[in-house]
């Protein structure tokens, strides 16, 4: 340990207390704060993992593995990405996300801190970030897709990064500080161009089904960025990633959407089902041209019927169930109301 009155090791010729002492103390404080925040997340994550290991989720987990992994290559970092995706992004057979179900089943015993962490996870998404600035206790990164700046206190992450370089990462706010919960993957500039172009094309092509901004698209389609992350981890930083195929409109409708009647039958409770079907049939009589996904319309129908019945229900709850954004549900709900 360097004494306060000793010469500062930086070579300035000043006493340590007059030079780098305060800065180093702040760095150490920030590191401890980051470790504490990550520890809170890891503790909560372990509880959600234990919850997800129930037998009722066995088929969901196997289905998620087949959907997520692009190779049989074993990689610890990819397994960590899978864990985040499975717990917080993947929609199970009962149309819910594991973390959401954990909250529903454990809400009475969750602490305020745990609820805030879960809220941070619900609002988080994986994206591509460019390093804008690196300081002693924090770095500034910019989301390349949304142009939002985020201050990251996870300073150890930036030891091997320079300003201008890009990474794939997933920031989350914990205890008033932002940290990356996934392993961060460095991306070469050639791949940055490919990823940005491909994601923007996918966003435009799928915009009729996920009506909203690019941020919402990334939140509801995290597997797109995770796919690129896996390609780089498996093949190395210099590997040129392969683009992900765009779905044409007919295939998209067939694969991602179902007939509205089938959606309602599969999701609405028996007591509300006929009201939902009647509402849709009346709407079709006055609305000759229908645009948008069946999922969006089905979500709006269920929300309309339950709200009309006096149920306490939110657009977020229903939109998650039908895998659409709350904004999409809100737009379709307005159209139903004004018809």
């Amino acid at each position: 340990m360097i004494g306060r009155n000793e010469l500062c090791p930086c070579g300035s010729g000043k006493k340590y207390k007059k030079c780098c002492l305060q800065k180093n103390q702040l760095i150490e404080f920030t590191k401890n704060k980051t470790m504490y925040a990550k520890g809170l997340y890891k503790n909560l994550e372990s509880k959600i993992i234990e919850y997800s290991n129930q037998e009722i989720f066995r088929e969901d987990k196997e289905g998620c593995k087949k959907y997520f992994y692009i190779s049989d290559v074993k990689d610890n970092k990819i397994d960590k990405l899978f864990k985040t995706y499975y717990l917080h992004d993947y929609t199970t057979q009962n149309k819910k996300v594991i973390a959401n179900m954990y909250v529903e089943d454990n809400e009475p015993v969750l602490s305020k801190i745990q609820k805030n962490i879960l809220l941070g996870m619900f609002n988080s998404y994986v994206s591509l970030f460019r390093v804008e600035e690196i300081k002693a206790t924090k770095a500034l990164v910019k989301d390349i897709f949304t142009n939002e700046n985020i201050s990251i206190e996870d300073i150890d992450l930036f030891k091997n990064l320079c300003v201008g370089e890009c990474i794939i990462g997933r920031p989350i706010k914990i205890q008033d500080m932002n940290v990356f919960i996934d392993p961060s993957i460095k991306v070469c500039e050639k791949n940055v161009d490919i990823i940005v172009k491909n994601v923007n094309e996918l966003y435009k092509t799928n915009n009729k089904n996920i009506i909203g901004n690019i941020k919402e698209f990334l939140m509801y389609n995290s597997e797109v960025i995770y796919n690129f992350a896996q390609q780089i981890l498996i093949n190395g930083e210099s590997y040129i990633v392969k683009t992900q195929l765009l779905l044409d409109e007919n295939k998209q409708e067939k694969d991602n959407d179902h007939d509205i009647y089938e959606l309602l039958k599969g999701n609405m409770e028996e007591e509300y089902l006929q009201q939902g079907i009647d509402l849709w049939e009346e709407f079709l009589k006055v609305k000759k041209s229908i645009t948008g996904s069946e999922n969006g319309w089905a979500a709006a129908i269920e929300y309309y019927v339950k709200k009309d019945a006096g149920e306490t229900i939110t657009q977020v709850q229903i939109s998650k169930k039908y895998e659409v954004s709350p904004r999409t549900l809100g737009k379709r709900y307005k159209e139903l109301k004004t018809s």
Side-chain angles (χ1 to χ4, degrees):
M1 179 181 283
I2 304 165
R4 290 170 54 85
N5 292 311
E6 291 180 31
L7 289 177
C8 187
C10 76
S12 65
K14 298 178 182 178
K15 289 185 178 181
Y16 184 49
K17 66 182 180 182
K18 297 286 187 179
C19 193
C20 293
L21 174 61
Q22 190 173 2
K23 182 187 76 172
N24 289 344
Q25 286 177 333
L26 188 57
I27 290 172
E28 193 63 29
F29 173 77
T30 304
K31 284 183 178 180
N32 290 336
K33 190 178 174 185
T34 301
M35 286 175 60
Y36 176 67
K38 286 187 170 183
L40 289 173
Y41 174 78
K42 289 294 182 186
N43 180 263
L44 181 57
E45 182 188 56
S46 66
K47 296 179 187 298
I48 303 175
I49 289 172
E50 184 180 355
Y51 175 83
S52 74
N53 287 334
Q54 296 178 77
E55 180 63 23
I56 56 171
F57 298 125
R58 185 176 58 81
E59 288 186 15
D60 288 311
K61 190 169 187 178
E62 290 306 309
C64 184
K65 285 180 179 179
K66 290 177 183 177
Y67 182 70
F68 180 86
Y69 286 103
I70 65 172
S71 166
D72 292 331
V73 174
K74 299 297 181 184
D75 187 287
N76 288 335
K77 287 185 177 180
I78 293 177
D79 289 341
K80 288 179 181 178
L81 299 182
F82 168 78
K83 184 167 57 178
T84 302
Y85 177 76
Y86 174 56
L87 297 179
H88 299 286
D89 299 334
Y90 183 71
T91 305
T92 60
Q93 294 178 64
N94 66 358
K95 304 294 182 184
K96 293 182 179 181
V97 174
I98 294 283
N100 290 5
M101 288 187 279
Y102 174 80
V103 172
E104 290 174 2
D105 291 344
N106 295 276
E107 188 168 10
V109 297
L110 290 174
S111 68
K112 185 177 179 180
I113 289 175
Q114 288 174 324
K115 288 178 181 178
N116 285 336
I117 293 172
L118 286 163
L119 180 61
M121 274 308 303
F122 295 154
N123 293 324
S124 77
Y125 62 98
V126 62
S127 191
L128 187 60
F129 298 91
R130 189 177 298 281
V131 181
E132 296 288 308
E133 186 178 57
I134 300 176
K135 293 185 176 181
T137 58
K138 63 181 178 180
L140 188 69
V141 298
K142 176 180 281 189
D143 187 322
I144 290 179
F145 297 105
T146 68
N147 287 320
E148 292 179 359
N149 287 320
I150 303 175
S151 179
I152 303 290
E153 287 82 359
D154 193 358
I155 51 177
D156 284 343
L157 172 69
F158 298 92
K159 282 182 177 178
N160 299 315
L161 289 170
C162 299
V163 170
E165 292 184 320
C166 292
I167 55 172
I168 288 173
R170 186 164 183 160
I172 172 178
K173 194 161 196 171
I174 303 175
Q175 295 288 83
D176 297 321
M177 67 186 305
N178 294 305
V179 296
F180 280 104
I181 58 163
D182 280 338
S184 299
I185 298 101
K186 191 174 177 181
V187 184
C188 69
E189 204 59 38
K190 176 67 175 175
N191 280 336
V192 170
D193 294 339
I194 293 171
I195 293 171
V196 169
K197 183 179 179 182
N198 193 205
V199 169
N200 281 322
E201 286 175 344
L202 287 166
Y203 168 59
K204 290 173 185 175
T205 301
N206 288 272
N207 198 38
K208 73 181 285 292
N209 283 340
I210 304 183
I211 300 174
N213 53 40
I214 187 71
K215 185 174 181 177
E216 286 181 346
F217 176 79
L218 291 169
M219 289 179 74
Y220 285 88
N221 297 274
S222 60
E223 67 276 4
V224 173
I225 301 295
Y226 281 132
N227 180 291
F228 288 122
Q230 289 185 72
Q231 290 188 55
I232 294 169
L233 287 171
I234 291 168
N235 299 289
E237 186 186 326
S238 60
Y239 172 80
I240 304 304
V241 295
K242 292 180 173 63
T243 57
Q244 295 173 55
L245 297 176
L246 304 178
L247 300 176
D248 61 57
E249 188 171 321
N250 291 330
K251 187 174 187 300
Q252 202 172 323
E253 294 265 345
K254 180 180 177 183
D255 290 350
N256 297 333
D257 292 319
H258 308 281
D259 181 85
I260 287 179
Y261 293 101
E262 291 302 316
L263 278 169
L264 294 177
K265 288 175 184 176
N267 288 286
M268 286 189 77
E269 294 84 349
E270 193 66 36
E271 61 184 301
Y272 296 122
L273 180 58
Q274 192 56 53
Q275 295 175 56
I277 292 173
D278 291 344
L279 173 64
W280 180 243
E281 290 179 346
E282 286 299 316
F283 181 69
L284 290 177
K285 290 177 184 178
V286 297
K287 194 82 171 178
K288 302 301 180 186
S289 176
I290 305 292
T291 59
S293 73
E294 281 87 346
N295 295 65
W297 284 111
I301 291 167
E302 179 168 340
Y303 180 71
Y304 186 109
V305 170
K306 288 186 174 179
K307 191 173 177 65
D308 192 55
E311 270 209 35
T312 304
I313 195 79
T314 68
Q315 292 186 2
V316 172
Q317 288 173 302
I318 300 295
S319 63
K320 281 278 187 184
K321 188 176 180 181
Y322 288 89
E323 298 181 274
V324 297
S325 70
R327 182 174 174 179
T328 297
L329 187 158
K331 283 192 172 188
R332 300 299 169 235
Y333 173 65
K334 272 188 181 178
E335 291 183 63
L336 288 173
K337 278 190 72 176
T338 55
S339 65

